[in-house]
Amino acid sequence: MKILAVDDDPEFLALFENTLSNLGYSNVTYVASAAEALAKISNVQSPFECFILDIQMPDMNGIELCQAIRATPQHANTPIVMNTVMTDRGHIDQAFAAGATDYLTKPIDEIEINARLGVMHTLVLERIQLKRAL
């Protein structure tokens, strides 16, 4: 599964990269800002199949990035997982209203990430099979 992970904290990104690598996710692009994410999305040859977004980022936050991703036709239904320290109901509601598919909280839990990304991977595979059947 081709993943784009976005977080402005370089220490977290390094830890997250190690965790995802240990879980077998090798096709992951890591960027530190929403602007970098949007540039990667617009310049990539084959589209990303999943996004993992931090909420608290400068300039454009993860909820705004989620909305921008959802506004692109090729990613209208791509799984988007929010990954953040924000656990209050307001942020969770805003994330889902913006189009998030799922929500993870920091600090990262390897078992939870593996389970949730497994569900996202199943979603991606089912969508591919559905396109082939049509």
Side-chain angles (χ1 to χ4, degrees), residues 20 32 39 50-51 60 80 90-91 103-104 106-107 109 112 130:
L20 291 182
C50 182
F51 298 96
M60 176 186 273
I80 298 175
H91 282 96
Y103 198 94
L104 287 167
K106 295 175 185 175
D109 179 296
E112 184 178 11
L130 182 61

Side-chain angles (χ1 to χ4, degrees), residues 3 7 28 48 63 65 74 84 100 109-110 114:
I3 300 171
D7 198 299
V28 184
F48 290 100
I63 292 171
L65 177 57
Q74 71 182 13
T84 184
D109 179 296
E110 198 168 293
N114 196 36

Side-chain angles (χ1 to χ4, degrees), residues 4 7 11 23 32 41 46 48 81 86 89 91 110 123 125 133:
L4 178 63
D7 198 299
E11 290 177 18
L23 293 172
I41 291 167
S46 64
F48 290 100
V81 179
M86 308 303 292
R89 193 77 209 154
H91 282 96
E110 198 168 293
L123 260 173
L125 293 176

Side-chain angles (χ1 to χ4, degrees), residues 57-78:
M57 295 187 292
D59 301 321
M60 176 186 273
N61 69 39
I63 292 171
E64 294 165 332
L65 177 57
C66 181
Q67 291 171 321
I69 292 169
R70 284 287 179 243
T72 63
Q74 71 182 13
H75 293 300
N77 296 307
T78 303

Side-chain angles (χ1 to χ4, degrees), residues 6-16 30-33 54 56-58 85 106:
V6 186
D7 198 299
D8 64 319
D9 180 346
E11 290 177 18
F12 177 79
L13 272 183
L15 176 64
F16 200 52
Y30 299 90
V31 297
S33 71
D54 182 26
Q56 288 185 299
M57 295 187 292
V85 296
K106 295 175 185 175

Side-chain angles (χ1 to χ4, degrees), residues 119-131:
V119 171
M120 297 305 116
H121 192 222
T122 299
L123 260 173
V124 168
L125 293 176
E126 287 176 354
R127 288 180 180 158
I128 290 169
Q129 289 174 347
L130 182 61
K131 283 182 184 179

